[in-house]
C-alpha cells in the first residue's frame, strides 16, 4: 500500500469520527424522546389516548365495565306521605295502561272519614301520579290517611281501605301487600293524640257596640282590609298568595244573611274572625295578621273584640296567646309537621 493510499484511509476514519461525534452531540442537545417500545402505536392495536379511545388501552375497558348503569331516580309522591299515611304496595308483572288502571279505581276515595289515594309510577317520567289516559305504569301504591280532625283510623275504616285496594289490584292483575292492621291502628291513635294536643284554631268575636250592621256594610269594610267572598255562604277570607293554599284568615257570619236577596236589608250583630294555625306557614306571620285585622275591623265597624265567653280581650291576652303559639310551632316542626306544610294541612283538616 502506497503512502497516498494510507493517508486517504486515515483521513476517512477521522472524517467518520467527526460525523459520528456531531450526530451524538446533536441528539444530546435536542428534545428527549420516548423509547420506541413504549410509544403509542397507530396500527389499531394501540393508539394515542384521546376522546375516541380508552385512556390506558385495554385496562380502561375493564374499568368501564365496572361502572354501574345510571338508574332513573324515583321521585317522592306529592300526595302520599309515610308520616300520616298507611301505605300498601301494588306489584305488577308487567306495566299497564292508564286506561286500564282508571277503569278499576274504586268509586269513592274515602275509607269511612279517611281519604286515600291510589297512585301509579309512570314508566317514562319515574313520577308517582294519579293514573291518566295515555300513560303506562309499572307499579302502584295506595295510601290512606291515618288521622284527621274526625279522629284516628279504626279497624272498620282500615278494612274498607283494604277491600277497595284489593279489588283494584285484582282488576289490574297485581299483587298487593298491606301493612299490619293492628300496627296501623296503633300508629293512627298515637298520631291522633299528638294532633289533638297541638291543634289550634284561634277565633275572636267582633260584637257590635250599638247599632247592628247590614251585610253590605260588612262586605264593604272587610274589602278595605283585603277580605274577599269565600267559597261558602257566610264567609269572607283573607286569601293566601300561594295558589291553592287555604286562606290565612276567615271572617264568618250568619249564613242566612249571605243568602238574603237584598244584602242591605240583613242585620248582623256579631262576626267571628278565625285563624287556623296549622294551615298557614309561620313565616307568613298569620298571628300578627289576625291581631291587626281584629283591631282594624273592630275600629271601622265599631265593635268590641271578645272571646267566646263574651269577655273583652286586651293586649295582654294577645301577648299570652303569641307565646303559646311559639311553643306550638316548635312542636309541630319537631315532628316534620311544620304549620302550613302539605302534610300538616292534611292532618289538621
Amino acid at each position: 500500500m502506497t503512502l497516498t493510499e494510507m493517508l486517504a484511509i486515515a483521513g476517512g476514519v477521522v472524517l467518520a469520527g467527526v460525523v459520528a461525534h456531531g450526530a451524538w452531540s446533536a441528539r444530546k442537545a435536542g428534545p428527549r424522546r420516548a423509547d420506541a417500545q413504549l410509544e403509542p402505536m397507530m396500527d389499531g392495536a394501540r393508539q394515542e389516548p384521546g376522546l375516541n379511545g380508552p385512556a390506558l388501552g385495554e385496562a380502561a375497558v375493564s374499568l368501564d365495565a365496572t361502572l354501574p348503569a345510571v338508574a332513573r331516580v324515583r321521585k317522592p309522591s306529592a300526595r302520599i306521605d309515610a308520616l300520616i299515611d298507611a301505605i300498601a304496595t301494588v306489584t305488577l308483572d308487567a306495566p299497564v295502561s292508564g286506561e286500564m288502571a282508571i277503569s278499576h279505581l274504586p268509586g269513592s276515595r274515602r275509607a269511612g272519614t279517611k281519604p286515600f289515594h291510589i297512585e301509579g309510577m309512570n314508566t317514562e317520567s319515574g313520577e308517582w301520579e294519579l293514573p291518566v289516559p295515555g300513560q303506562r305504569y309499572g307499579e302502584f301504591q295506595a295510601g290512606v290517611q291515618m288521622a284527621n280532625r274526625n279522629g284516628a283510623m279504626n279497624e272498620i275504616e282500615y278494612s274498607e281501605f283494604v277491600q277497595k285496594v284489593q279489588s283494584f289490584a285484582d282488576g289490574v292483575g297485581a299483587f298487593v301487600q298491606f301493612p299490619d292492621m293492628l300496627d296501623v291502628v296503633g300508629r293512627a291513635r298515637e298520631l291522633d293524640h299528638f294532633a289533638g294536643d297541638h291543634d289550634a284554631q284561634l277565633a275572636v268575636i267582633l260584637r257590635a257596640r250599638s247599632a247592628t250592621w247590614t251585610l253590605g256594610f260588612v262586605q264593604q269594610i272587610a274589602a278595605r282590609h283585603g277580605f274577599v267572598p269565600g267559597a261558602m255562604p257566610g264567609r269572607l277570607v283573607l286569601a293566601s298568595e300561594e295558589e291553592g293554599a287555604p286562606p290565612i284568615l276567615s271572617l264568618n257570619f250568619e249564613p242566612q244573611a249571605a243568602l238574603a236577596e237584598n244584602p242591605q236589608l240583613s242585620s248582623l250583630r256579631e262576626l267571628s274572625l278565625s285563624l287556623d294555625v296549622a294551615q298557614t306557614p309561620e313565616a307568613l306571620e298569620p298571628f300578627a295578621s289576625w291581631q291587626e285585622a281584629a283591631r282594624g275591623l273592630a275600629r271601622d265597624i265599631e265593635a268590641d273584640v271578645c272571646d267566646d265567653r263574651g269577655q273583652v280581650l286586651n293586649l295582654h291576652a294577645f301577648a299570652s296567646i303569641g307565646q303559646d303559639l311559639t311553643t306550638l310551632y316548635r312542636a309541630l316542626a319537631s315532628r316534620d309537621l311544620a304549620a302550613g306544610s302539605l302534610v300538616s294541612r292534611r292532618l289538621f283538616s
Side-chain angles (χ1 to χ4, degrees):
M1 183 178 297
T2 65
L3 178 60
T4 302
E5 292 175 338
M6 293 178 62
L7 289 174
I9 293 173
V13 172
V14 172
L15 180 60
V18 172
V19 173
H21 181 270
W24 177 83
S25 299
R27 181 178 179 84
K28 184 176 182 181
R32 300 185 63 182
R33 298 178 181 274
D35 293 338
Q37 292 182 349
L38 299 179
E39 198 163 6
M41 299 174 63
M42 302 299 293
D43 59 359
R46 189 185 300 166
Q47 64 182 15
E48 183 176 352
L51 296 178
N52 296 324
L56 293 175
E58 295 181 356
V61 176
S62 3
L63 178 61
D64 291 342
T66 64
L67 294 176
V70 177
R72 174 175 292 142
V73 177
R74 293 168 60 93
K75 301 178 182 179
S77 168
R79 285 162 291 272
I80 297 176
D81 194 307
L83 279 173
I84 65 171
D85 295 311
I87 303 174
T89 58
V90 183
T91 306
L92 294 162
D93 291 332
V96 300
S97 66
E99 289 82 355
M100 181 178 185
I102 292 171
S103 69
H104 293 288
L105 288 173
S108 169
R109 305 297 194 281
R110 300 189 75 85
T113 61
K114 306 301 181 292
F116 73 88
H117 297 286
I118 296 178
E119 298 180 321
M121 173 68 76
N122 190 302
T123 57
E124 292 296 325
S125 67
E127 293 184 351
W128 289 109
E129 63 185 27
L130 301 178
V132 294
Q135 301 297 318
R136 296 186 65 77
Y137 301 95
E139 59 182 294
F140 292 91
Q141 66 176 3
V144 59
Q145 192 167 318
M146 292 185 290
N148 55 17
R149 282 176 172 158
N150 290 312
M153 166 172 279
N154 56 42
E155 289 86 347
I156 295 176
E157 290 175 321
Y158 187 68
S159 297
E160 183 180 345
F161 166 70
V162 169
Q163 181 181 9
K164 290 182 175 181
V165 176
Q166 185 64 65
S167 177
F168 168 80
D170 292 342
V172 297
F175 170 77
V176 58
Q177 187 173 7
F178 295 97
D180 179 73
M181 181 176 70
L182 295 181
D183 178 64
V184 169
V185 171
R187 290 170 55 206
R189 290 171 180 166
E190 191 276 332
L191 183 62
D192 179 62
H193 180 73
F194 174 84
D197 288 343
H198 298 85
D199 194 359
Q201 299 178 73
L202 306 180
V204 292
I205 304 300
L206 303 178
R207 180 170 295 165
R209 292 175 185 160
S210 55
T212 60
W213 319 295
T214 65
L215 175 57
F217 175 75
V218 169
Q219 291 174 327
Q220 183 182 56
I221 298 300
R224 297 176 186 172
H225 293 269
F227 287 82
V228 298
M232 301 178 62
R235 191 179 188 209
L236 302 173
V237 299
L238 183 64
S240 171
E241 293 183 358
E242 179 186 347
E243 185 177 358
I248 298 175
L249 302 176
S250 297
L251 186 63
N252 306 292
F253 50 89
E254 175 56 48
Q256 292 300 323
L259 299 174
E261 293 184 5
N262 188 347
Q264 298 300 332
L265 297 180
S266 59
S267 179
L268 296 171
R269 190 172 188 81
E270 286 187 353
L271 306 172
S272 173
L273 180 66
S274 60
L275 162 63
D276 195 333
V277 175
Q279 298 292 319
T280 308
E282 180 185 8
L284 297 182
E285 299 184 342
F287 180 62
S289 298
W290 181 63
Q291 294 182 77
E292 182 180 353
R295 292 169 183 156
L297 288 169
R299 179 190 64 244
D300 293 347
I301 64 176
E302 298 184 359
D304 290 322
V305 180
C306 308
D307 61 18
D308 56 356
R309 296 171 296 178
Q311 300 295 317
V312 177
L313 297 174
N314 53 36
L315 293 177
H316 296 292
F318 282 107
S320 177
I321 295 172
Q323 293 174 357
D324 292 339
L325 278 185
T326 299
T327 302
L328 176 63
Y329 282 131
R330 301 290 83 76
L332 289 173
S334 69
R335 287 284 297 258
D336 293 328
L337 293 167
S341 64
L342 179 59
V343 67
S344 180
R345 291 172 181 170
R346 291 178 54 209
L347 178 60
F348 295 97
S349 64

